[in-house]
Amino acid sequence: MLVGGFGTRLLPLTETVPKPLVPLAGRPIIDYLLDVAPHDAEVVFTLSYSGEEIRSYLESREDSDRFIFVDEEEPLGTGGAIKNCAEHLDEEFMVFNGDIISDLDSKAMIDFHHANEGIGTIALREVEDPTRFGVVDMDGDRITSFVEKPPDPPTNLINAGMYVLGPEILDMIPEGKVSIEREVFPKAVEHGLFGFRFDGLWTDVGTLPSYLLAMNDLLERRVSRGEISEPVLVAPDASVESELTAPVDVGKGARIGKGCRIRNCAILEGAVVGDGAVVDSAIVSPGAVVREKDVIAASILGRSGERI
Ligand code: GTP
């Protein structure tokens, strides 16, 4: 699990909470990844930024005896981080970007990988507008090339940030800071890289809009499973004195005063929203305070009051 990034695009939230621990619809992001990863496998976490905090959360989970932690002194990029774990990767392994929420069927992906006998398999996602992503070109199930942000994309399929790889790929990663997506995969194509297409839930939670979309998707799923009656989640000890317009997530111990307009937002653990305030399409960081009648719209409010 690649969990060493800075999470710059979620600042100022990630100033105080490392991205893998950011609460999303009531759970830390990393928990969703662990739902999807094979439950009987050892899990290696590549730690860098805020590594200690991430590690201590993971060690508090019941299944922590299958976790291995590998520290990076300096961020090595996605490829360098994988190479840095080489001593634990002498068999076939999966890689998960730490900010992807999905319901990928890992077993089906591993079976697909075995059937193709390539050096690696990349989960692929079809998107409507692929021009801002890295797109793959395909011949059947085989990836033939990668095209970065193409004006005229050959397919609508993008790299979904989850891979099954053979240990031979480690020899193709040079020492130092390396991006697996940009520097290794394009060269691995000639050794047989395959694309596993899947539908269902998939979203990266790297930005405010994508965080809010993921929150909505996860809350809607809980509604369809009958766990909640509308896409609104209020922690049992939160106090809410205003109406909430879905989707909304109110974390543990958060307090929302009277006469507020609260819509499409996450008000995280211990945050306080003063009377008459507006919070719309926003994240209020854990412990942050929205002053009375203040307006927080389309932005992230940090604990120290900074907003971006
Ligand atoms: P931004 O700073 O907002 O781009 O966030 P990010 O760096 O966390 O995410 P990015 O999409 O660039 O990276 C994809 C995944 O790889 C994320 O889960 C990151 O945690 C992880 N990652 C990125 N760079 C590194 C690194 O140098 N080391 C490690 N261990 N993980 C990394």
Side-chain angles (χ1 to χ4, degrees):
M1 301 232 168
L2 300 174
V3 291
F6 284 109
T8 345
R9 291 164 300 155
L10 278 180
L11 281 170
L13 169 61
T14 39
E15 217 163 58
T16 45
V17 191
K19 188 157 75 170
L21 303 187
V22 163
L24 174 68
R27 302 168 77 203
I29 287 173
I30 192 77
D31 281 14
Y32 294 100
L33 274 102
L34 288 163
D35 286 348
V36 172
H39 289 184
D40 54 355
E42 286 185 324
V43 185
V44 184
F45 295 91
T46 66
L47 301 176
S48 173
Y49 174 69
S50 292
E52 271 314 301
E53 227 176 306
I54 298 170
R55 181 181 181 138
S56 94
Y57 169 72
L58 288 165
E59 281 176 340
S60 75
R61 280 183 47 121
E62 264 174 22
D63 53 349
S64 64
D65 55 351
R66 65 192 179 102
F67 296 165
I68 296 168
F69 301 98
V70 175
D71 293 313
E72 273 163 58
E73 280 181 20
E74 287 171 38
L76 291 171
T78 48
I82 296 169
K83 178 108 176 171
N84 195 41
C85 303
E87 63 172 309
H88 303 291
L89 305 177
D90 49 357
E91 292 174 63
E92 183 180 278
F93 59 96
M94 290 192 80
V95 176
F96 291 85
N97 274 2
D99 52 1
I100 302 290
I101 305 294
S102 80
D103 57 5
L104 177 80
D105 181 343
S106 295
K107 181 169 182 312
M109 183 166 166
I110 293 168
D111 290 346
F112 174 89
H113 175 75
H114 291 161
N116 288 306
E117 298 180 0
I119 193 171
T121 298
I122 299 181
L124 298 178
R125 187 69 194 183
E126 200 169 317
V127 293
E128 252 170 48
D129 175 16
T131 51
R132 65 190 181 88
F133 296 99
V135 176
V136 295
D137 201 359
M138 307 282 290
D139 177 10
D141 287 332
R142 199 173 170 137
I143 296 174
T144 53
S145 65
F146 293 83
V147 203
E148 214 28 63
K149 302 189 174 90
D152 191 12
T155 66
N156 276 22
L157 296 167
I158 63 160
N159 175 346
M162 295 173 283
Y163 322 120
V164 182
L165 301 173
E168 319 84 67
I169 198 112
L170 297 169
D171 298 332
M172 302 181 64
I173 307 177
E175 294 296 330
K177 189 162 186 176
V178 181
S179 156
I180 190 137
E181 302 88 332
R182 286 193 289 278
E183 295 168 66
V184 182
F185 287 155
K187 290 193 195 130
V189 160
E190 62 190 88
H191 301 277
L193 264 189
F194 290 82
F196 178 74
R197 302 162 215 219
F198 77 103
D199 305 317
L201 181 67
W202 180 82
T203 167
D204 92 89
V205 278
T207 63
L208 172 62
S210 65
Y211 174 97
L212 293 172
L213 282 175
M215 180 186 83
N216 185 47
D217 284 354
L218 291 165
L219 293 177
E220 290 284 3
R221 288 190 155 224
R222 294 187 65 173
V223 172
S224 62
R225 289 201 297 259
E227 293 168 11
I228 47 179
S229 57
E230 53 167 343
V232 170
L233 196 66
V234 178
D237 61 349
S239 128
V240 177
E241 296 183 86
S242 296
E243 215 168 292
L244 306 175
T245 307
V248 173
D249 172 18
V250 183
K252 278 187 232 155
R255 284 186 285 134
I256 299 175
K258 297 189 179 72
C260 298
R261 286 213 337 260
I262 308 289
R263 184 190 150 267
N264 187 34
C265 61
I267 298 181
L268 299 175
E269 236 176 271
V272 176
V273 180
D275 293 347
V278 175
V279 183
D280 190 341
S281 308
I283 302 174
V284 179
S285 296
V289 177
V290 181
R291 289 188 305 270
E292 281 184 19
K293 297 191 180 152
D294 206 352
V295 177
I296 308 287
S299 53
I300 302 179
L301 179 71
R303 178 142 67 197
S304 58
E306 190 190 355
R307 66 179 84 171
I308 295 180

